[in-house]
Amino acid sequence: MTLTAYTREHHFYVAIAKHVFLHADKGIVFVNDPIRLKDAEKFDLKPLVLYGLTVPGTQIEWLTFSLLDEPRSLSGVLLEGWEKASGLRGYPDKLKINRHIANACPQLQKSLDHIGGISLEIADGKDKQFSASLRVAQQRGLELGWYNHDGHVINDVKELNDHALNIHNGHVNGRRWEWIGNNAVKEQASKWMALPFKTSNTVLSPSKLDWVSGSWLSSWETTVPQNQKMHFWRHETKPGCYWLLSGEDENIDDITDEDWDRRCALKAKILVDCWPNKPGDIAKAIGITVKQLLWFLNGQMALPETEREDLSKLLGIEASARFVDYDVIGPCVLIAEGPRKCSIAYEELSNGGDLEYSVEVLPEKGTPDPSWRYVVFSAYGRLPNIFMFQRGSKTTDQLGKKLLMNYQGERKVPASTYRDVVSTCAQCSTNPLLNRKLMTEFGERHKQYFQETGTKFYTWR
């Protein structure tokens, strides 16, 4: 397909943001789990309207926001995105919207006619790709809180929009699409980014409000529970933005031993399910029986404090006073036993996808291991972990299909580094007590290399 024959298409959507709100004193607040608007009022949160443009099939999108009681004109939003968001490559040939926008803004086609050459299409209700664009955009709104490693406060909607635009352009300048694990998405994104930036001789001027809001903006509310218990939280050392988290803001002094047992067991089971040693070997290493270990992991019995602490140390989990919970810190080697178990353990070790890098390593020279594939990944500021994938397994077949959040695909590394990965994994599989010890040593040996190359692996941060 030649570039001249390429039809430029954008998906345009409007909705009330599920994960981003404004508080008069706290500024922009990110809500981890969606909350109904009436419940948001109880926390003095003002809803925001999310406007977005997506290039279908590429994972390239641009978002901007407004207060619900101060909506922006749709033509003005479109103009801003086409002129400022570099990943959109300027004006499209076709703009796809849903029937709600078409009914709310009947003059939109007339506004587009002033530019010339842009056709307006209303998506069919069964258009899964279009509906996915909005669904993904809602999640991207939440991720705006994750991409805030400097811990700065986002005070208002203007600062939020500047933040969103900077992240979009940073992804494009960092050639994010090159690190997408899905080859079909990578190919589509590469073709799109090869297009020249398309401008228009006619200027589309931002007009006065040109659409009418309605209940369709918050249709997602129907699947959200009412009267959820939630509390404000922000990081102790990098305060930055506030988050609204599910559950009550518990006092660590009120937590009983039974609570700690239960919470420790939940995180421990996630790791034991993927640990490269049998549960019996793990139990023996901390001086308990395999039945005691399994009963503890299943919530059927408690462990003495000493054994519980030994298990936590062996697996790499530690108490977190911030959430009155346990954090999975690693570093460790794990085996991808099943898709769900693998993705849950990966999410815990990666802080929900807050990664410096996540790559399958291959030797620059020589033949890779015929039995295993190795994914090396590191949460921001931590030592690397390794996930082993057995070749030919059903789990491995899903490796490039969104199994791992923010996974970036294959990367060539020096043959000596690759041999160290294979050797370390083999040694960690012999004794559960060696796992974290050897992985800590591995991390220290290769920390600088992976941090330096991480700027190449993960430049879209």
Side-chain angles (χ1 to χ4, degrees):
M1 178 170 56
T2 63
L3 295 181
T4 55
Y6 195 103
T7 299
R8 298 172 182 250
E9 179 181 338
H10 288 164
H11 291 174
F12 181 49
Y13 38 83
V14 183
I16 292 177
K18 297 168 64 173
H19 298 285
V20 192
F21 291 79
L22 178 67
H23 189 279
D25 298 321
K26 295 177 170 57
I28 297 299
V29 174
F30 294 94
V31 179
N32 199 54
D33 297 310
I35 183 173
R36 290 192 176 229
L37 299 187
K38 284 191 175 297
D39 291 337
E41 290 178 7
K42 300 174 185 176
F43 294 93
D44 296 323
L45 295 176
K46 291 185 177 182
L48 303 181
V49 179
L50 179 155
Y51 312 80
L53 284 163
T54 290
V55 180
T58 67
Q59 296 187 11
I60 296 172
E61 69 280 307
W62 166 76
L63 308 178
T64 192
F65 300 83
S66 76
L67 285 168
L68 178 59
D69 53 8
E70 297 178 14
R72 300 174 59 186
S73 72
L74 299 191
S75 57
V77 168
L78 291 169
L79 174 64
E80 179 180 341
W82 291 336
E83 292 189 346
K84 295 184 179 180
S86 54
L88 299 180
R89 316 309 296 154
Y91 295 87
D93 302 318
K94 180 170 69 174
L95 184 69
K96 184 178 285 190
I97 61 175
N98 61 25
R99 60 184 177 84
H100 297 298
I101 296 177
N103 293 332
C105 186
Q107 298 299 313
L108 186 56
Q109 180 65 76
K110 185 176 180 181
S111 296
L112 298 178
D113 288 341
H114 287 300
I115 300 175
I118 300 180
S119 63
L120 190 65
E121 180 179 330
I122 301 175
D124 184 273
K126 298 179 181 179
D127 190 332
K128 294 182 178 180
Q129 189 179 50
F130 181 84
S131 61
S133 293
L134 175 56
R135 185 172 64 252
V136 171
Q138 291 281 17
Q139 181 65 23
R140 293 286 188 261
L142 180 64
E143 292 176 9
L144 294 176
W146 301 349
Y147 296 118
N148 185 21
H149 302 296
D150 295 333
H152 65 275
V153 176
I154 304 176
N155 292 294
D156 52 36
V157 177
K158 181 182 182 304
E159 290 186 12
L160 175 65
N161 289 336
D162 291 342
H163 180 60
L165 180 61
N166 288 338
I167 289 174
H168 167 87
N169 288 332
H171 288 178
V172 172
N173 295 334
R175 303 178 68 84
R176 171 187 179 181
W177 65 93
E178 293 184 354
W179 316 120
I180 296 172
N182 187 309
N183 288 331
V185 174
K186 184 189 301 184
E187 180 180 356
Q188 182 75 358
S190 296
K191 287 180 178 179
W192 176 266
M193 292 307 300
L195 294 170
F197 203 93
K198 184 180 180 181
T199 59
S200 172
N201 294 327
T202 304
V203 177
L204 176 63
S205 301
S207 63
K208 61 182 181 180
L209 190 62
D210 53 5
W211 64 288
V212 179
S213 63
S215 59
W216 55 273
L217 287 170
S218 57
S219 59
W220 50 263
E221 277 192 300
T222 57
T223 60
V224 177
Q226 300 183 49
N227 301 316
Q228 299 180 77
K229 293 182 179 180
M230 307 189 81
H231 65 279
F232 288 109
W233 173 88
R234 64 175 176 170
H235 201 287
E236 293 176 345
T237 58
K238 294 189 298 183
C241 294
Y242 277 91
W243 291 73
L244 191 68
L245 305 179
S246 297
E248 296 180 348
D249 189 5
E250 299 169 295
N251 188 322
I252 191 170
D253 295 329
D254 297 332
I255 303 301
T256 65
D257 286 341
E258 289 77 12
D259 290 326
W260 283 118
D261 266 317
R262 176 175 54 83
R263 296 169 193 219
C264 178
L266 288 172
K267 296 300 174 72
K269 189 177 189 307
I270 290 171
L271 293 173
V272 171
D273 283 345
C274 298
W275 208 257
N277 311 104
K278 295 180 179 179
D281 296 326
I282 297 173
K284 184 178 179 180
I286 62 173
I288 61 175
T289 68
V290 66
K291 284 187 177 180
Q292 285 178 301
L293 174 62
L294 296 178
W295 286 341
F296 171 72
L297 297 178
N298 293 323
Q300 295 173 287
M301 68 165 287
L303 282 180
E305 184 177 355
T306 299
E307 283 73 16
R308 188 180 69 200
E309 290 181 354
D310 287 344
L311 178 64
S312 299
K313 183 177 180 181
L314 185 152
L315 297 175
I317 60 179
E318 62 180 21
S320 169
R322 297 173 303 163
F323 290 117
V324 197
D325 202 349
Y326 279 85
D327 291 331
V328 178
I329 61 172
C332 60
V333 169
L334 297 177
I335 292 179
E337 292 288 356
R340 178 170 173 76
K341 293 178 180 179
C342 167
S343 61
I344 291 174
Y346 176 86
E347 185 171 346
E348 288 286 345
L349 283 164
S350 66
N351 281 345
D354 185 18
L355 290 154
E356 286 194 86
Y357 50 84
S358 176
V359 295
E360 178 188 351
V361 293
L362 295 173
E364 288 179 338
K365 297 180 180 180
T367 305
D369 187 328
S371 301
W372 297 93
R373 295 167 65 178
Y374 303 90
V375 173
V376 181
F377 65 98
S378 174
Y380 193 77
R382 289 184 180 172
L383 293 174
N385 304 278
I386 303 175
F387 237 122
M388 300 172 61
F389 287 81
Q390 189 169 17
R391 294 186 184 276
S393 71
K394 292 182 179 180
T395 305
T396 304
D397 290 342
Q398 298 184 38
L399 184 54
K401 301 176 181 178
K402 299 184 180 180
L403 176 65
L404 305 180
M405 188 181 301
N406 291 336
Y407 168 68
Q408 300 153 282
E410 299 175 350
R411 294 293 178 272
K412 295 289 184 70
V413 299
S416 59
T417 302
Y418 184 80
R419 288 195 298 269
D420 201 1
V421 169
V422 176
S423 174
T424 299
C425 289
Q427 294 179 72
C428 288
S429 300
T430 63
N431 186 333
L433 292 173
L434 291 178
N435 198 323
R436 294 189 64 227
K437 176 180 181 297
L438 294 180
M439 275 304 295
T440 299
E441 295 172 357
F442 171 88
E444 294 298 337
R445 286 195 299 274
H446 300 287
K447 180 179 180 180
Q448 183 175 357
Y449 169 75
F450 279 108
Q451 283 183 336
E452 289 175 353
T453 53
T455 59
K456 302 175 184 177
F457 292 166
Y458 211 58
T459 48
W460 57 273
R461 165 168 296 287

